Amino acid sequence: QITLKESGPTLVKPTETLTLTCTFSGLSTSDSAAGVGWIRQPPGQALEWLALIYWDDDKRYSPSLESRLTITKDTSENQVVLTMRDMDPVDTATYYCAHRRTGLRDFDYWGQGTLVTVSS
Amino acid sequence: DIQMTQSPSSVSASVGDRVTITCRASQDIGTWLAWYQQKPGKGPNLLIYTASGLQSGVPSRFRGSGSGTDFTLTITSLQPEDFATYFCHQSDSFPYTFGQGTKVDIK
């Protein structure tokens, strides 16, 4: 059974750095064309893709947020971590991690999401 | 960035109705288009991959079609569990982008 679960703070202050952890199970990490991505969704709004890390450690970022994002993985711990610097109230959203499968390029398994509120 | 324009933004329908949602890409994306269903408080659920592939476990009443810039998701006979929000997603090139969503609610 494949599962992903996001964890991290529910409240951060403006200018602080957010660190989110995606803990997964049941995923094969041997396929270099697969990986884990982060996607967020402000309340009542659309999904926004943030970053993707492949199992071979190649990384991709949203250009509009690239200067603020870092994505890393620890396959020995079955975790992918996203850091977002200089948080702002507009970054208030539910943050999801999702498995990006090889070949088909979609996200076939998603976590339940974690709501992060940015407020002083 | 590739813009994904989804329509309509909302649709009211009854059980048994046929519902069609469209998604238009701002440039040719081949068939690198997926459709997701999202229910309140839940993460998205993959329905359709590469424009017309039915994800394992998804009922056959969900059908995807299209290529290039124009895509369609059709629910052939709406069921009570289908009332949700639907998003399209392009993975032809980075940055990946999503449509604005279509909310299907009860008429």
Side-chain angles (χ1 to χ4, degrees), chain B residues 69-92:
Chain B
T69 60
D70 293 311
F71 302 87
T72 300
L73 173 69
T74 301
I75 310 171
T76 57
S77 177
L78 198 66
Q79 297 302 300
E81 60 268 30
D82 301 337
F83 292 99
T85 300
Y86 295 83
F87 293 94
C88 60
H89 160 227
Q90 72 81 18
S91 57
D92 176 67

Side-chain angles (χ1 to χ4, degrees), chain B residues 31-94:
Chain B
T31 57
W32 294 113
L33 191 285
W35 290 96
Y36 300 87
Q37 177 193 68
Q38 187 178 32
K39 296 183 178 179
K42 302 289 187 181
N45 180 48
L46 176 66
L47 301 174
I48 302 290
Y49 59 89
T50 57
S52 60
L54 186 67
Q55 175 67 355
S56 176
V58 174
S60 59
R61 63 180 180 273
F62 291 94
R63 297 180 186 174
S65 63
S67 64
T69 60
D70 293 311
F71 302 87
T72 300
L73 173 69
T74 301
I75 310 171
T76 57
S77 177
L78 198 66
Q79 297 302 300
E81 60 268 30
D82 301 337
F83 292 99
T85 300
Y86 295 83
F87 293 94
C88 60
H89 160 227
Q90 72 81 18
S91 57
D92 176 67
S93 62
F94 292 105

Side-chain angles (χ1 to χ4, degrees), chain A residues 31-50:
Chain A
D31 186 343
S32 62
V36 168
W38 286 92
I39 302 100
R40 71 179 179 180
Q41 185 174 35
Q45 297 186 41
L47 299 161
E48 179 185 16
W49 173 77
L50 303 176

